[in-house]
Amino acid sequence: MVDPEAAPPVYNEDGVDLTLIRWMLSLTPADRVATLQAHIYFVTLARESRRAREPHPRSDEHR
C-alpha cells in the first residue's frame, strides 16, 4: 500500500501545479517541442476563429 504522506506534493507553496511540470520533464526533448507546437497551433486556430466571428466595420463607417 502506498503511503499518502510519501506521495510527492501536487502543488508547491506558490500554488504551482507540479504535476504538469513533472509530466513535461518526463517527455523527451523532441516530444516536448511537439507538445508545445501543438499548443501553439491550437492557440493560433482559436485566435483566427475569433477574428473570423468579429464583425467587420463597413468602409463608410470609418469616416
Side-chain angles (χ1 to χ4, degrees), residues 32-61:
R32 291 180 203 166
V33 171
T35 299
L36 296 174
Q37 286 176 326
H39 285 103
I40 291 168
Y41 178 70
F42 172 78
V43 169
T44 301
L45 285 178
R47 286 180 177 168
E48 289 172 357
S49 173
R50 181 173 185 219
R51 286 185 187 126
R53 290 180 307 186
E54 290 177 353
H56 299 285
R58 294 188 340 222
S59 59
D60 62 341
E61 288 180 352

Side-chain angles (χ1 to χ4, degrees), residues 10-47:
V10 175
Y11 295 96
N12 72 3
E13 61 277 356
D14 296 322
V16 174
D17 185 346
L18 300 174
T19 60
L20 294 174
I21 295 172
R22 289 185 192 110
W23 169 72
M24 185 62 81
L25 291 175
S26 74
L27 301 175
T28 66
D31 289 339
R32 291 180 203 166
V33 171
T35 299
L36 296 174
Q37 286 176 326
H39 285 103
I40 291 168
Y41 178 70
F42 172 78
V43 169
T44 301
L45 285 178
R47 286 180 177 168

